[in-house]
Amino acid sequence: MGRLTFSINVTLDGCIDHRAGIVDDETHAHFTALLDEAGAMLWGRTTYEMMEDYWPLVASGEVEAPPAMRDWALTLENKPKYVVSATRSDFPWNNSHHIEGDLRTAIQDLKDRTPDGVLLGSGMLASGLDRLDLVDDYKFLVHPRITGHGPTLYGGLLNSTRSLELISAEPMGNGAISVHYRRAG
């Protein structure tokens, strides 16, 4: 069985707005490496729609991008992408699939058939899946910024505290810290 890993950019004050972090080659290389290790990507509809408007154009070369961004786009283009949505069922981006039915059962099935694990990249969806005890690992890229605005990690949506075990913490050259935690117990 594969693991479900929630991975996202987060500032020191918990902001997960993708525009609040450091966007550079090192950050893109970091997330490309995470995606390379995973067997699939999982998003909610809103995140999918944000991604589908830009990254396929970078992958196809229609939009100019530095090599690290293009590597991310190409990796994402070929990776199976799963989307949870109650309002949309058509996901035309290459290798995209709609998650249907009971959320707990569908995500557990996805984990079971993806031995390399699933990388989860949507904050709201992570809250719901964490409440269902489906998130196994947390790989956050903590940015040295305080934003004072924007959506925050879990936004008060968890019903109880999660105890985590630190697996690793690695500083990056841009000042961010890559942290990996696993659910304790």
Side-chain angles (χ1 to χ4, degrees), residues 66-86:
M69 285 178 69
R70 185 153 164 74
D71 288 347
W72 161 255
L74 290 169
T75 302
L76 193 55
E77 184 69 18
N78 296 313
K79 192 66 65 170
K81 294 169 279 296
Y82 292 88
V83 187
V84 173
S85 176

Side-chain angles (χ1 to χ4, degrees), residues 19-99:
R19 298 165 294 188
I22 298 166
V23 180
D24 64 5
D25 289 349
E26 188 175 22
T27 299
H28 281 101
H30 169 79
F31 282 104
T32 300
L34 288 179
L35 189 55
D36 273 338
E37 295 170 2
M41 188 80 225
L42 175 64
W43 291 315
R45 179 194 52 81
T46 301
T47 303
Y48 175 89
E49 288 175 351
M50 179 182 63
M51 303 294 269
E52 79 172 329
D53 286 342
Y54 182 69
W55 292 110
L57 299 174
V58 174
S60 70
E62 293 176 56
V63 171
E64 285 288 321
M69 285 178 69
R70 185 153 164 74
D71 288 347
W72 161 255
L74 290 169
T75 302
L76 193 55
E77 184 69 18
N78 296 313
K79 192 66 65 170
K81 294 169 279 296
Y82 292 88
V83 187
V84 173
S85 176
T87 60
R88 180 178 170 185
S89 59
D90 178 42
F91 299 96
W93 185 4
N94 181 48
N95 214 0
S96 294
H97 312 277
H98 184 212
I99 296 286

Side-chain angles (χ1 to χ4, degrees), residues 5 137-140 165-169 178-182:
T5 300
D137 290 273
Y138 306 80
K139 292 185 177 181
F140 299 135
E165 172 189 357
L166 178 65
I167 303 301
S168 66
S178 171
V179 295
H180 177 189
Y181 289 97
R182 182 163 290 148

Side-chain angles (χ1 to χ4, degrees), residues 12 61 88 113 160 166 184:
L12 290 172
R88 180 178 170 185
R113 60 188 161 87
S160 63
L166 178 65

